[in-house]
Amino acid sequence: MIPVIEIGYNNQNLKTPDKYPYWDYPELWDKFNTECYKKAGFIDNFKPYVAGSSFYRISEITDNNLTKLTIDHTQEMRDKKYEREHACAFFGGYILSIDKQNKYFPQCCGDLADIQYWQNLTKGKESSFYAGHPEPKVKIQDDKIIFDFTVNEFDEHFTPTPAENLIQFNIPSLKKAIKNVKIELYYFEQRLNKINREQKLNIDNIGELLIWKNKNYE
């Protein structure tokens, strides 16, 4: 499992590429994203997890860029335009990689707090999985977890398109992956705490807000 943040900022009055999907024209989309980020005020370059995409591994986002992301993501909440309970964790989530092959990416509306849904799978809870929409159909048989990408209730398309209709992995491997990804998340939380202090954002428990939100749901 690879923790990533999905970074937008594509509303900078720049012409959007007319060739897509991004994975077929990665250089074009990387150039567009880079120009958007620069115009939005980011200091450092971003390195996408996959060329052309807007997913960035949390450990590879520089402190300068993470500071701006944190300030921007929490600005309206801190301005009291909405209450904390209506705030979202960082958008993105977790890329499922099996044998160093990317099998499944976070979908629309996924976020870092979805780590809890992955944990639910290790408890055999196949009906309580969410990593954005569309969602695969989940089946758990013994210690095997199966994702079926052919089931699409609302005729949405997975992005990027999965290479296989079915993927299978086991619960012990997922438990190990979750343990490892939590180490990365805890380190990321410490970076957020530092930003919160240095920028005087005065956000109580910023890690719970931007990573672990609703961490007690089942």
Side-chain angles (χ1 to χ4, degrees):
M1 291 177 62
I2 313 297
V4 293
I5 292 177
E6 184 174 20
I7 301 174
Y9 292 85
N10 293 338
N11 56 344
Q12 305 301 316
N13 296 318
L14 296 173
K15 184 179 180 180
T16 304
D18 57 4
K19 295 181 179 180
Y20 46 85
Y22 72 77
W23 53 90
D24 285 341
Y25 302 94
E27 292 183 2
L28 180 65
W29 282 91
D30 276 343
K31 183 176 183 294
F32 171 69
N33 288 335
T34 296
E35 291 174 348
C36 287
Y37 300 146
K38 183 179 295 185
K39 191 170 182 180
F42 286 96
I43 296 175
D44 301 325
N45 291 328
F46 284 98
K47 176 185 176 183
Y49 179 77
V50 174
S53 81
S54 298
F55 288 119
Y56 302 86
R57 187 163 187 163
I58 60 175
S59 61
E60 295 181 349
I61 299 173
T62 68
D63 288 343
N64 287 328
N65 286 350
L66 183 58
T67 296
K68 177 172 172 56
L69 284 170
T70 304
I71 291 172
D72 290 354
H73 190 85
T74 62
Q75 187 68 60
E76 291 189 347
M77 183 196 73
R78 290 183 289 107
D79 288 344
K80 307 300 183 183
K81 292 184 179 180
Y82 56 78
E83 297 301 319
R84 179 186 174 107
E85 57 264 28
H86 298 134
C88 297
F90 275 127
F91 297 113
Y94 304 88
I95 296 170
L96 179 64
S97 178
I98 301 176
D99 296 327
K100 298 184 179 180
Q101 298 293 319
N102 300 317
K103 299 294 187 179
Y104 176 53
F105 285 72
Q107 300 298 301
C108 182
C109 300
D111 62 39
L112 290 181
D114 293 339
I115 186 67
Q116 300 301 317
Y117 293 117
W118 289 94
Q119 289 191 145
N120 285 346
L121 291 179
T122 68
K123 302 173 185 177
K125 298 179 180 180
E126 61 185 30
S127 63
S128 57
F129 177 77
Y130 181 82
H133 58 86
E135 303 170 42
K137 181 178 180 180
V138 179
K139 182 68 176 178
I140 299 178
Q141 298 176 336
D142 299 322
D143 70 342
K144 301 294 184 183
I145 301 169
I146 301 168
F147 281 1
D148 182 352
F149 299 108
T150 65
V151 180
N152 198 334
E153 183 178 357
F154 300 105
D155 197 31
E156 294 182 282
H157 299 285
F158 289 95
T159 304
T161 306
E164 306 161 71
N165 289 332
L166 297 173
I167 60 172
Q168 178 177 288
F169 50 102
N170 62 61
I171 288 177
S173 293
L174 180 58
K175 286 182 177 180
K176 182 178 180 180
I178 290 173
K179 181 178 180 180
N180 290 335
V181 82
K182 279 189 171 183
I183 293 173
E184 193 166 342
L185 290 173
Y186 288 136
Y187 177 71
F188 185 65
E189 183 174 16
Q190 295 309 308
R191 295 177 65 196
L192 293 177
N193 287 335
K194 182 179 178 182
I195 290 169
N196 193 29
R197 291 193 303 270
E198 292 180 347
Q199 299 298 319
K200 296 180 172 56
L201 302 181
N202 299 315
I203 299 173
D204 291 336
N205 203 344
I206 192 171
E208 191 277 335
L209 177 71
L210 299 180
I211 303 173
W212 313 104
K213 189 173 176 63
N214 299 325
K215 60 183 177 181
N216 292 321
Y217 59 67
E218 294 292 328

